[in-house]
Amino acid sequence: MNFMSDDLLRYRSEFPILERTNYMISNSLGAMPRAVYDALKGYADIWATRGVRAWEERWWMLALEVGNELGVLMNAPKDSVSVHQNVTTCQAVVASCFDFSGKRNKVVYSDMNFPSLMYFWEAQRPYGARVYMIKTDDGITVPTERLTDAIDERTLVVPISHVIFRSSYVNDARAIIEKAHQVGAHVVLDTFQSLGSVPVDVQALDVDFACGGVLKWLCGGPGVAYLYVRPDLGRKLEPKLTGWFAHQDSMAFETGPIRYTDPPFRFMNGTTHIPALEACRPGLKIIREVGVERIREKSKRQTNRLIELADQHGWRLNTPRDVEKRGGTVSIDMPDSQQVSCELLARDILVDWRPKAGVRFSPHFYNTDAEVDAAIAAVDEILKSRHVAV
């Protein structure tokens, strides 16, 4: 392969782990930016020197600031993104806005969703939710027509993934949202595997809710998830999973029922997770500077190369070949793939393995073309050394 000149590689020096590893696992945990050291030192310094005054001087508004930084990446209106600890909590906040005891109580989703979200929605059955799961035909794609056909006048919520974690298939979010709105249902779009790698525009999609986390493609580390609520809904919904940050006058410490404040605090609950919020900001800054459109174009090229190399070796592909239907990951199921994954890790080639997927390779904007080729060459060498037929 003739390796291309790549302007995005100037950011490599911002990520210490790239100095010693071939980092192909940004779909699971993005590489840590060097500036996180200073961000967390700043957190410790303000706590050490300002004590409780840190709340009024910085910490209280940090959730709003980070939410708006995330909002820029998905073209969300100002003050429409709240922050939480994880995506399951985000979806729980959404669910708590609705009543499942009436006739409109159906929840439609795909078996290709991330399991944590299935576990959450299945657990809503005792509260009246009628859960309907659409099954994949091939283990790679979601049958869009079958899913939209299942969305009817009794459907309340459609929680779907924008990009499937296992196969990297890009769901037809627009078609699903349009059908849901035709019948009065709401869509919760999980953008965990897209934001930062695939362009997301919540206003263009007219999606009701969008959620995800910063620890993967956004290089923000664990502990920060985001929840976008469409502004017209944000002004009227009243989440039951709530707390003092959502109260109209938090510092009044009133007893009795909550008086909801405005978004995005309206959708928050208890005390925010300050260290994680501080740690995620350097990654968000870099992603904004690089630009998701540029990241996407490089991702298309490098995932195409991974597929080309997999085909040369005759390995099974569990990812769409159509570049427009594929996110930033290529799932390759070569012989003895789980053990191959372990041996790649031992060589400091960081990937992961998932059932029904195989080895997931996820190059990001900071990866070189040479690293893509080297990762696949290492697989070939491992298989040959293990005397596995290829």
Side-chain angles (χ1 to χ4, degrees), residues 51-71:
V52 72
R53 292 171 293 190
W55 277 112
E56 61 180 294
E57 293 172 3
R58 181 173 178 86
W59 289 353
W60 189 271
M61 298 304 291
L62 191 57
L64 176 70
E65 293 169 12
V66 172
N68 281 329
E69 289 169 8
L70 282 156

Side-chain angles (χ1 to χ4, degrees), residues 246-257:
H247 192 69
Q248 196 172 96
D249 188 357
S250 298
M251 291 303 174
F253 300 103
E254 298 172 352
T255 58

Side-chain angles (χ1 to χ4, degrees), residues 11-236:
Y11 290 93
R12 275 181 70 87
S13 62
E14 299 296 325
F15 299 89
I17 197 170
L18 303 184
E19 297 170 6
R20 60 186 182 276
T21 65
N22 186 344
Y23 203 82
M24 289 277 166
I25 197 167
S26 296
N27 63 318
S28 185
L29 178 65
M32 189 198 83
R34 192 179 305 277
V36 172
Y37 289 116
D38 288 337
L40 289 177
K41 184 179 184 299
Y43 158 73
D45 285 346
I46 193 173
W47 183 12
T49 60
R50 303 303 293 163
V52 72
R53 292 171 293 190
W55 277 112
E56 61 180 294
E57 293 172 3
R58 181 173 178 86
W59 289 353
W60 189 271
M61 298 304 291
L62 191 57
L64 176 70
E65 293 169 12
V66 172
N68 281 329
E69 289 169 8
L70 282 156
V72 169
L73 294 172
M74 63 180 90
N75 192 32
K78 187 179 179 183
D79 298 344
S80 61
V81 179
S82 58
V83 292
H84 304 269
Q85 185 177 1
N86 54 58
V87 169
T88 310
T89 299
C90 293
Q91 301 228 354
V93 171
V94 172
S96 76
C97 294
F98 299 108
D99 179 7
F100 292 90
S101 65
K103 290 183 178 180
R104 187 183 283 274
N105 61 357
K106 189 177 179 182
V107 177
V108 178
Y109 70 85
S110 160
D111 66 346
M112 297 292 278
N113 276 6
F114 190 72
S116 185
L117 305 185
M118 299 185 201
Y119 305 153
F120 171 77
W121 288 105
E122 289 288 339
Q124 305 316 299
R125 289 180 184 272
Y127 303 102
R130 188 162 51 92
V131 181
Y132 191 90
M133 182 173 69
I134 304 298
K135 294 187 177 182
T136 180
D137 293 322
D138 55 11
I140 298 174
T141 63
V142 174
T144 304
E145 185 175 352
R146 198 182 312 152
L147 193 147
T148 54
D149 285 348
I151 301 171
D152 56 24
E153 287 74 9
R154 293 196 172 189
T155 303
L156 183 56
V157 181
V158 183
I160 58 166
S161 296
H162 188 198
V163 173
I164 301 301
F165 83 101
R166 182 180 285 120
S167 67
S168 201
Y169 171 73
V170 180
N171 250 321
D172 190 347
R174 186 178 301 278
I176 295 167
I177 292 165
E178 288 177 355
K179 175 59 187 292
H181 288 176
Q182 287 172 13
V183 298
H186 301 85
V187 172
V188 188
L189 186 66
D190 176 6
T191 60
F192 217 145
Q193 287 292 351
S194 56
L195 192 62
S197 177
V198 175
V200 177
D201 186 331
V202 294
Q203 293 193 76
L205 287 171
D206 193 29
V207 69
D208 307 289
F209 308 93
C211 59
V214 303
L215 80 158
K216 302 180 189 293
W217 301 105
L218 296 173
C219 303
V224 177
Y226 52 85
L227 173 62
Y228 162 76
V229 182
R230 204 177 67 216
D232 61 308
L233 293 173
R235 290 187 291 269
K236 65 183 181 181

Side-chain angles (χ1 to χ4, degrees), residues 252-268:
F253 300 103
E254 298 172 352
T255 58
I258 189 169
R259 292 187 295 112
Y260 290 97
T261 190
D262 296 325
F265 284 98
R266 185 185 190 94
F267 294 92
M268 297 186 203

